[in-house]
Amino acid sequence: MTELHEVQITEEKPLLLPPSQPVPGKKHSVETPYGLVAFTVHGTPKPKRPAILTYHDVGLNHQSCFEPLFRFEDMQEIVKNFVVVHVDAPGMEEGAPLFPLGYQYPSLDQLADMIPCILQYLKFTSIIGIGVGAGAYILARYSLSHPDTVEGLVLINIDPNAKGWMDWAAHKLSGLTSSIPEMILAHLFSQEELSGCTELVQQYREALVGAPNLSNIQLYWSSYNTRRDLNFERGGDVTLKCPVMLVVGDQAPHEDAVVECNSKLDPTQTSFLKMADSGGQPQLTQPGKLTEAFKYFVQGMGYIPYILDRKLSMGGLLLHDAPVALPHRLAVQRSLRGREPVPLPHPVPEQRVGEPPAAAAAGPGERSPHHGGLLLSRGGGGDGDASRL
């Protein structure tokens, strides 16, 4: 009888990635009237759905600005319904060559004018934009000149105003006493984070100081500091015509600018979200809470009207829906028992999702008795109208 031998077989699956490791995106670049721009595409276009397009802040690239948010498990459940395009400002992508001495870096307006070249190259017709800081300004500027191609905007830490003389003088004085990395860190993080020298601040300080493209970063920084005023006017011709979610952290360096921006936009189209304990970069420090807010924002636009929550990680969510909303806007309420979606007529009263009805009686400025209640409200013009996490 033939003797049997134990044989160990190792199955190799080189194309399979660990569950926590997202599939790498495909890198592209396209020539524009203002130079070459690089971008990374994740996923494939979905019929009758916009692309999600991101634009990062100064001192960052698309990875250091958005990776924690887009790697968050619940966020991946949302974005799998869309194709995602991460744009890197010229010279900010990994491995970017240094610009020659005397190179004229594009203005923020010109960076916005590069976006149509990207969409034309990809054959995309519309986007939902997510921008941070300078990237938020660029997407807002693009939306003003191409409103028909923008279905929604999430603007984090946007400052729509040009620098005044006092700001200009303070910036010049700061340049005499602080290095470029330190000035950019003060733009990115709250004073509390900088004073406490948090691990996140230290990580980004080391990345900036050791950045091989620091001279390129300085050019982007200069363009941001010479930006023009967006001249938003509530009720006027210069305004964002799509649904907008403004986001800022408590005590963030741009808190006042975002509050002012909220006061200038259409209150029926604008939601203002102020995030507690998130510092200057909520997409880095609180990706779970921002994902929750983004989910309801996209649902409100009529896309993915219901996503099953595996776990509500931050307590309840309070929605204020506009009485005059877009025709396709969906109001969704999960029942307390089966968590089934229930379409509601307009106007929609306050409803605390995932909590007993008594919690919904909290006023606009009040916290939920359960930790982490989030309040999404329509823009009204003051800090008291802010949604809080």
Side-chain angles (χ1 to χ4, degrees):
M1 187 174 181
T2 306
E3 185 178 357
L4 298 178
H5 297 276
E6 182 179 351
V7 179
Q8 290 186 345
I9 300 176
T10 302
E11 183 181 7
E12 295 186 1
K13 296 182 180 179
L15 297 181
L16 295 182
L17 298 172
S20 59
Q21 182 74 21
V23 178
K26 187 174 182 181
K27 298 182 182 299
H28 302 264
S29 61
V30 63
E31 191 66 47
T32 77
Y34 307 105
L36 197 68
V37 61
F39 50 95
T40 305
V41 179
H42 293 262
T44 56
K46 306 300 188 292
K48 299 181 180 179
R49 295 201 174 190
I52 293 176
L53 186 142
T54 73
Y55 216 116
H56 61 87
D57 203 354
V58 175
L60 309 172
N61 57 28
H62 85 266
Q63 291 170 308
S64 56
C65 187
F66 291 108
E67 195 168 79
L69 176 63
F70 280 84
R71 281 198 175 190
F72 193 74
E73 189 175 3
D74 288 346
M75 189 64 164
Q76 290 183 43
E77 286 295 312
I78 298 172
V79 300
K80 73 181 183 182
N81 296 278
F82 302 88
V83 61
V84 179
V85 182
H86 294 296
V87 181
D88 284 308
M92 303 303 121
E93 70 274 14
E94 284 192 352
L98 299 181
F99 293 119
L101 190 65
Y103 175 79
Q104 183 62 47
Y105 196 81
S107 67
L108 294 197
D109 289 13
Q110 292 170 334
L111 292 176
D113 288 339
M114 290 180 171
I115 295 177
C117 299
I118 297 173
L119 300 185
Q120 183 178 5
Y121 174 86
L122 295 171
K123 296 181 172 59
F124 294 166
T125 57
S126 63
I127 65 169
I128 296 172
I130 305 178
V132 181
Y137 178 102
I138 291 166
L139 291 180
R141 173 66 71 184
Y142 170 75
S143 182
L144 289 176
S145 55
H146 300 82
D148 293 340
T149 67
V150 182
E151 297 198 22
L153 288 173
V154 178
L155 304 177
I156 304 171
N157 297 336
I158 186 172
D159 187 344
N161 304 314
K163 281 187 174 293
W165 284 107
M166 293 297 292
D167 296 322
W168 180 86
H171 176 71
K172 287 295 183 182
L173 182 62
S174 176
L176 297 175
T177 58
S178 303
S179 65
I180 293 296
E182 289 303 320
M183 286 193 291
I184 293 176
L185 286 171
H187 162 79
L188 294 174
F189 297 102
S190 68
Q191 190 57 49
E192 183 180 355
E193 290 172 295
L194 294 172
S195 301
C197 197
T198 64
E199 183 179 348
L200 185 65
V201 168
Q202 192 59 33
Q203 174 188 342
Y204 280 76
R205 175 179 284 117
E206 292 173 0
L208 274 172
V209 171
N213 64 334
L214 183 58
S215 60
N216 292 358
I217 295 173
Q218 185 172 356
L219 293 176
Y220 187 21
W221 175 237
S222 296
S223 287
Y224 177 69
N225 286 307
T226 55
R227 65 190 179 277
R228 295 192 302 144
D229 200 311
L230 289 176
N231 292 314
F232 288 146
E233 182 183 358
R234 176 170 289 185
D237 294 331
V238 182
T239 189
L240 299 175
K241 302 185 186 308
C242 63
V244 178
M245 182 167 71
L246 300 175
V247 182
V248 71
D250 257 346
Q251 309 302 320
H254 307 287
E255 183 178 354
D256 291 342
V258 179
V259 169
E260 182 181 351
C261 182
N262 179 57
S263 71
K264 295 180 178 180
L265 295 179
D266 182 353
T268 68
Q269 292 275 54
T270 308
S271 298
F272 182 19
L273 173 62
K274 183 179 288 187
M275 299 181 66
D277 305 321
S278 65
Q281 298 293 309
Q283 81 282 2
L284 299 178
T285 58
Q286 300 282 2
K289 293 181 179 181
L290 188 55
T291 294
E292 184 86 355
F294 181 65
K295 177 182 70 175
Y296 281 92
F297 179 72
V298 174
Q299 286 177 338
M301 295 171 60
Y303 296 111
I304 50 173
Y306 178 65
I307 302 174
L308 180 63
D309 284 320
R310 286 182 304 279
K311 179 181 179 182
L312 282 176
S313 58
M314 60 167 206
L317 190 69
L318 185 59
L319 295 171
H320 286 237
D321 203 82
V324 278
L326 296 178
H328 63 269
R329 186 172 178 85
L330 298 181
V332 179
Q333 175 192 10
R334 281 190 299 252
S335 69
L336 297 177
R337 293 189 300 275
R339 296 193 180 278
E340 292 294 327
V342 180
L344 298 178
H346 296 294
V348 182
E350 298 181 6
Q351 175 65 47
R352 175 87 52 188
V353 178
E355 293 187 356
E366 298 177 24
R367 297 289 185 105
S368 159
H370 301 274
H371 175 70
L374 168 63
L375 179 64
L376 276 180
S377 65
R378 313 311 300 175
D383 181 66
D385 297 308
S387 312
R388 295 183 182 272
L389 245 96

